[in-house]
Amino acid sequence: MKLKITYPPIEKRKLQRKHFLRVIRWPVLFAVVACPIVNLAVGGRAWSLIVLMSIYMAWSLILSPDLVEYNRISQSIKVISFSCSLLASIDIFLASGWAVNVVPIVCFSGLVVSGTLFFTDIDRQKQNMLPLLLLIVVAIIASIVGLSIWHEESSLPFSIMGGSALLLLVASIITLRSDFLRELKRRFHVK
C-alpha cells in the first residue's frame, strides 16, 4: 500500500524565512536584554525604552507580521499607531515639547492614508472597517483631549486631526449606509 501525501510540500521560501527568524531571534533578544543594562550602567535619560519600542515595532511589522489581520488598512493603521506612540515616548523620555504638534500631523496623515485605502476598494475593505473606526474614535478623543489641554498654543493640529476624523466618519456612514450598521453588528455581535 502506497501512502499519498495530502498536504502540499513546504515552499523553500517559507523554510528560509523560518530559518532566518530562528537565527535573528537571538541577536534581537540580546539587544532587548542589553539595552536596559547599558542604559542603567551609563545613566542619563531612558533611551533604552525608545530602543525597545523600536525593536518591537520592527519585529511586529517586518519580521513577524500578523497572520489574521494582514490587510492593507490594518497594517497601515498599525504603522501609524506605532509611529505615534514612538514619537510620543521620544518626546516624554528624550526631548520634550515638539510631539504636541507632530503626533496630530502623523495621525492626520494616517487618517488620510487609511481613508484612501478604504474608499478605493470599498467592496473588499468594508470587512476591515473596525481598525479604521477605532483609529477614527481614537483621533476624535485625542483631539478633544488635546484641545482641552493645549487650547491656546497648538490648537490647529488637533483641530485638523479631529475635523478630518469626523469627516471620515461621516463619509463612511454616508457611503455605506445600512452596511455600516450591519458591519458594526457583525463585529460586536455576542450570543
Side-chain angles (χ1 to χ4, degrees), residues 65-96:
D66 296 332
L67 296 177
V68 176
E69 288 288 328
Y70 192 72
N71 56 58
R72 58 189 188 163
I73 292 178
S74 296
Q75 293 304 308
S76 64
I77 291 173
K78 193 174 177 182
V79 167
I80 293 301
S81 62
F82 276 142
S83 301
C84 288
S85 61
L86 187 63
L87 288 171
S89 57
I90 288 171
D91 182 59
I92 291 169
F93 295 114
L94 294 180
S96 62

Side-chain angles (χ1 to χ4, degrees), residues 137-156:
V137 168
V138 167
I140 290 172
I141 291 171
S143 68
I144 291 170
V145 169
L147 285 173
S148 63
I149 294 175
W150 296 286
H151 59 279
E152 292 177 3
E153 55 193 47
S154 59
S155 63
L156 184 64

